[in-house]
Amino acid sequence: MKLIIAIVQDEDAAELSRALIKKEIRATKLATSGSFLKAGNTTFMIGIEDQKVDEVIEIIKTYSHKREQYLTPNMAMGSAMLNKSVEVTVGGATIFVLPVESFIHF
């Protein structure tokens, strides 16, 4: 048994949730936010049998998209402020797979 923790952008969460439900994969969703862009994320916690881990990861990959976004850093550079927007790639998914000693569902 494994615990998959997947952090995805909020924009991808609804489609990913529907895909997991369609495959009868149970997940708990948590509203989270990242520290880099301070943007909303959704964290999925999924308890799954070892042989289904790769299937779940493929579903997450399919529904977690990378996007280009502009960030205004507002960093002090000496006595001047740097206010130029910088294009960054965000999105995709961050996935952790952890061993589970016990899984109880009732």
Side-chain angles (χ1 to χ4, degrees), residues 3-8 12-14 16-17 20 27-30 42-46 60:
L3 173 63
I4 298 175
I5 301 172
I7 304 162
V8 302
D12 298 325
L16 176 56
S17 185
L20 293 171
T28 298
K29 295 189 323 183
L30 305 170
T42 299
T43 299
F44 288 84
M45 295 176 37
I46 305 163
I60 295 167

Side-chain angles (χ1 to χ4, degrees), residues 16-78:
L16 176 56
S17 185
R18 282 190 291 274
L20 293 171
I21 290 168
K22 187 175 181 179
K23 292 287 190 170
E24 298 183 3
I25 297 169
R26 296 174 184 232
T28 298
K29 295 189 323 183
L30 305 170
T32 55
S33 63
S35 61
F36 179 59
L37 296 175
K38 307 210 180 352
N41 295 321
T42 299
T43 299
F44 288 84
M45 295 176 37
I46 305 163
I48 199 78
E49 298 84 7
D50 290 1
Q51 66 271 17
K52 291 187 176 183
V53 168
D54 290 337
E55 175 187 358
V56 172
I57 290 173
E58 283 304 313
I59 293 168
I60 295 167
K61 282 182 185 179
T62 300
Y63 292 95
S64 301
H65 307 288
K66 290 188 177 188
R67 299 168 178 81
E68 300 300 321
Q69 185 171 328
Y70 287 94
L71 169 68
T72 305
N74 288 328
M75 298 185 311
M77 297 292 289

Side-chain angles (χ1 to χ4, degrees), residues 76-96:
M77 297 292 289
S79 61
M81 289 293 288
L82 177 63
N83 288 321
K84 186 176 180 181
S85 293
V86 179
E87 188 175 30
V88 294
T89 302
V90 297
T94 301
I95 302 171
F96 301 91

